Amino acid sequence: MSVKRSSIHGQWSSRWVFILAATGSAVGLGNIWRFPYLVGENGGGAFVLVYLLCVVLVGIPIMMAEIMLGRRGRQSPINTMGTLAAEEGLGRHWQLLGWMGMIAGFIILSYYSVIAGWTLAYIFRTGAGLFVDVDATFSKQMFSELINDPEKLLAWHTVFMAMSMVIIARGVKSGLEKAVKFLMPALFVLLLIMVGYAMGTEKFMEGIDYLFNPDFARLADKNFFSDILLPALGQAFFSLSIGMGAIMIYGSYLSQKSSISFNCFTIAFADTLVAILAGIAIFPIVFTYGLEPAGGPGLIFITLPIAFGQMPFGTFFGTLFFILLLFAAWTSAISLLEPAVTWLVENKNMTRVKATTLAGIAVWLLGLATVLSFNQWAFSFSFAGTVKENGLFDMFDIFTSNIMLPIGGLLIAIFAAWRMSRSATVEELGLGDGFYYKTWRFAVRYIAPLGVIVVFLNAIGIFKLLGFVE
Ligand code: TRP
């Protein structure tokens, strides 16, 4: 049975445009802002190692499944799940997966936009030469000055949401293509320059050791499952943009002829490389300037400006770096809202512009909670063996990445490998029915779901109750 649906929202003009767009979605603040600070909070090398395993064993198979579902359904994630479930004679409750994803996307974008706003602020701060020859104390102070000013945060958050809404309203394909084709490689080159700078710092080797030596002694007061594995798994989902329908909707614009597996490996490779390079650029600076690796969400905004203030042409490179980071955040933000916008267009008969305006304003409003999390509404709590200081922001982040995305991914895996007919997946993946297909199927049937379930059970402490772990 061959299914030929087409998307009312259009199609990518070539496979490379899809790869670029999906890489644009994957590479963003998650790689450069979130990854290093989680590494710092969760003990360095061991976290990195576990993260890489999560990407390979759980992330890539689920990503393939998610793109596959999108391409077969060719609608917003909610309607795609409805159509595919009906096709297999299953109930409409599978649409809930799409609903959950849409909500996760809303919440993630609401705080993502505030952090992207920090990037905007830093373009101007670096551009004005504010960081020339600064020390760690000054850099820290500049950062806390920004986050303690709700009006500034609100202004930048508003600018970023407006920028994202313009692109989404015009349709994801126009505009995005150019942004990813030139700006992503440029960001990559700048990261290499930063790595070059880090190599010249006094404590370069200490940074490398921290990142790549899975020294379990550093984890002495941590619980491996809940404090390392759970955040690493969450980060894999977050960084690859999987588990909420973003990559599903991008898959729905993908040509029937393109190879899903090749595309996935390319995207995951690029995404991981950028995260690792960001780590190599940042940790040597952390140690050289006597900063705390567990510095929390401000880590890159405190460390990188010090480096820009020291290196030759630092003002130029620094400004360019934050501009490119902004573009990376932009191309990610778009994918977070696209599922909701397509659903509004399909089901509520709205134009794209109207749908984007409505969804965008809702996200903007929710973002106010994050704006206040760093100042007026700040409170702290403990998670994954770390004290989190920014109340609602941290809760949104933890709840979406560590809970909603993995549950979304789990359901995607179950649907694709247990509920969808084998022949439909063979046909859609186009890998034939040999070794590659079987490996994928095994990973999506067993490894990915078990991985997620084991991590969850542990995190909830069930294994503790049963006496399996101390
Ligand atoms: N992956 C992006 C980043 O690393 C963020 C992102 C975009 C995302 N779309 C997503 C995260 C969907 C989770 C789900 O910055």
Side-chain angles (χ1 to χ4, degrees):
M1 177 190 59
S2 176
V3 185
K4 291 221 167 46
R5 265 182 282 267
S6 66
S7 169
I8 61 164
H9 313 285
Q11 196 175 348
W12 303 113
S13 44
S14 77
R15 137 200 287 191
W16 280 103
V17 176
F18 167 76
I19 293 183
L20 286 171
T23 308
S25 164
V27 175
L29 297 172
N31 309 60
I32 291 172
W33 158 73
R34 198 173 189 273
F35 177 75
Y37 99 73
L38 289 187
V39 171
E41 282 183 346
N42 300 308
F47 180 86
V48 175
L49 182 68
V50 172
Y51 171 73
L52 294 176
L53 288 173
C54 288
V55 167
V56 173
L57 295 177
V58 181
I60 295 178
I62 290 185
M63 191 183 212
M64 285 177 64
E66 190 173 334
I67 295 176
M68 176 186 84
L69 299 183
R71 187 168 73 176
R72 203 167 174 82
R74 293 223 186 271
Q75 299 153 68
S76 65
I78 296 176
N79 292 328
T80 282
M81 289 315 296
T83 304
L84 294 184
E87 203 169 274
E88 303 292 342
L90 306 166
R92 296 187 70 75
H93 55 267
W94 279 101
Q95 282 193 329
L96 286 176
L97 167 57
W99 277 102
M100 193 179 70
M102 196 167 100
I103 294 167
F106 259 68
I107 304 177
I108 295 176
L109 184 56
S110 78
Y111 70 76
Y112 200 85
S113 168
V114 177
I115 313 295
W118 298 357
T119 310
L120 265 160
Y122 269 74
I123 294 175
F124 293 95
R125 294 173 145 205
T126 329
L130 210 64
F131 295 106
V132 176
D133 282 329
V134 298
D135 57 12
T137 321
F138 183 80
S139 190
K140 265 193 197 154
Q141 198 186 323
M142 290 304 297
F143 178 72
S144 63
E145 191 190 292
L146 173 69
I147 62 169
N148 277 311
D149 186 341
E151 278 158 24
K152 265 193 202 153
L153 296 186
L154 177 63
W156 291 123
H157 163 56
T158 309
V159 173
F160 184 79
M161 273 315 294
M163 283 173 58
S164 306
M165 284 160 69
V166 169
I167 299 285
I168 302 168
R170 292 179 53 198
V172 162
K173 288 172 301 303
S174 47
L176 193 72
E177 193 168 337
K178 282 178 215 87
V180 257
K181 223 182 220 155
F182 298 106
L183 300 170
M184 302 299 274
L187 177 66
F188 186 75
V189 171
L190 249 133
L191 265 180
L192 289 181
I193 294 177
M194 295 305 298
V195 169
Y197 172 81
M199 287 172 81
T201 55
E202 207 180 306
K203 303 253 168 93
F204 178 65
M205 284 322 289
E206 202 171 306
I208 295 293
D209 181 74
Y210 185 78
L211 262 182
F212 296 112
N213 179 2
D215 181 356
F216 285 87
R218 281 196 292 257
L219 312 177
D221 52 350
K222 302 230 174 212
N223 174 298
F224 179 75
F225 283 97
S226 63
D227 300 352
I228 305 295
L229 198 47
L230 181 64
L233 184 76
Q235 173 62 11
F237 277 85
F238 188 95
S239 194
L240 295 171
S241 301
I242 56 177
M244 57 75 55
I247 217 75
M248 193 186 287
I249 193 75
Y250 276 22
S252 78
Y253 307 147
L254 179 62
S255 142
Q256 205 61 42
K257 293 192 294 284
S258 184
S259 153
I260 290 179
S261 52
F262 172 84
N263 295 353
C264 275
F265 278 98
T266 312
I267 298 160
F269 178 76
D271 186 65
T272 308
L273 189 62
V274 171
I276 297 288
L277 286 178
I280 300 179
I282 286 161
F283 284 102
I285 305 175
V286 169
F287 294 115
T288 304
Y289 291 94
L291 291 155
E292 214 12 71
L299 191 66
I300 70 155
F301 295 95
I302 292 167
T303 50
L304 292 181
I306 303 178
F308 294 130
Q310 300 288 329
M311 64 204 267
F313 308 108
T315 300
F316 171 75
F317 284 137
T319 315
L320 193 60
F321 177 84
F322 285 114
I323 292 178
L324 295 172
L325 183 58
L326 176 72
F327 275 100
W330 204 13
T331 55
S332 301
I334 291 165
S335 72
L336 283 162
L337 204 57
E338 183 70 7
V341 170
T342 47
W343 181 77
L344 288 172
V345 170
E346 286 165 12
N347 291 47
K348 302 287 155 192
N349 220 358
M350 288 185 193
T351 60
R352 260 196 94 89
V353 174
K354 194 166 170 204
T356 307
T357 312
L358 197 76
I361 290 179
V363 170
W364 177 81
L365 275 175
L366 189 58
L368 302 186
T370 294
V371 162
L372 294 169
S373 297
F374 297 98
N375 36 69
Q376 256 85 325
W377 291 3
F379 61 86
S380 45
F381 62 95
S382 172
F383 172 79
T386 318
V387 180
K388 298 278 182 180
E389 289 172 348
N390 307 302
L392 283 176
F393 154 74
D394 282 317
M395 291 194 158
F396 285 168
D397 180 54
I398 290 168
F399 190 69
T400 47
S401 329
N402 299 341
I403 298 174
M404 291 180 90
L405 298 181
I407 290 182
L410 176 66
L411 294 176
I412 287 170
I414 292 174
F415 187 86
W418 290 95
R419 309 303 285 154
M420 225 168 136
S421 69
R422 192 173 188 282
S423 57
T425 59
V426 169
E427 175 190 291
E428 199 60 49
L429 282 178
L431 286 171
D433 195 357
F435 173 75
Y436 294 113
Y437 175 78
K438 290 191 172 117
T439 310
W440 170 79
R441 192 168 163 87
F442 183 79
V444 185
R445 282 199 110 167
Y446 303 104
I447 303 179
L450 278 178
V452 173
I453 291 170
V454 167
V455 173
F456 271 177
L457 290 182
N458 272 286
I460 307 170
I462 299 220
F463 279 17
K464 208 180 214 165
L465 268 175
L466 297 175
F468 288 162
V469 290
E470 285 288 293

